[in-house]
Amino acid sequence: MLDKNNLFANLPKDTTQEHFSVLIKSSSTRIERIVSFGQSSPQSGWYDQDKDEWVCVLSGYGVLEFENSSKVKLDVGDHLLIPAGCKHKVVETDPNSETVWLAVFYK
């Protein structure tokens, strides 16, 4: 029998930090659920990943900034492909509700 899961089940109660849950992992792919509660990336530094990242917002919203100073707001249902090596950070997430992201990292 297969186990059924729900991306909105068991959301973290601790709202003081972001929570990362690996849902599936193989040698070339990782799928994560990320739950944010108004958090953003640290002021200094960028995410600079060696894998492509496809990210989708399932609830709330998030604003991503890229090294070239462009910003993209992702609302519910919006998704974006971030190529490997594309430096980015999260500058805003919904402060009034959880933002649930689905992120797929692959090569």
Side-chain angles (χ1 to χ4, degrees):
M1 180 104 181
L2 300 175
D3 289 331
K4 178 179 91 167
N5 294 296
N6 187 297
L7 291 169
F8 299 102
N10 303 313
L11 291 176
K13 297 194 184 337
D14 177 7
T15 61
T16 64
Q17 61 182 340
E18 275 189 309
H19 298 268
F20 299 83
S21 302
V22 175
L23 304 175
I24 298 171
K25 185 176 182 178
S26 74
S27 61
S28 63
T29 305
R30 184 176 80 250
I31 301 175
E32 290 183 353
R33 179 186 77 173
I34 305 165
V35 182
S36 309
F37 299 94
Q39 286 85 12
S40 59
S41 301
Q43 288 291 337
S44 62
W46 298 91
Y47 291 116
D48 185 7
Q49 299 156 168
D50 61 351
K51 293 188 175 192
D52 293 330
E53 177 184 1
W54 177 85
V55 64
C56 180
V57 171
L58 304 177
S59 69
Y61 72 86
V63 179
L64 300 175
E65 181 178 2
F66 296 87
E67 189 177 37
N68 67 3
S69 298
S70 66
K71 292 183 181 178
V72 176
K73 181 178 182 192
L74 298 175
D75 291 304
V76 173
D78 291 340
H79 57 91
L80 181 69
L81 175 61
I82 305 168
C86 181
K87 294 181 181 179
H88 64 285
K89 62 173 82 175
V90 177
V91 293
E92 183 180 345
T93 60
D94 191 339
N96 300 311
S97 179
E98 67 273 346
T99 298
V100 178
W101 310 76
L102 184 63
V104 179
F105 302 88
Y106 63 96
K107 263 201 166 192

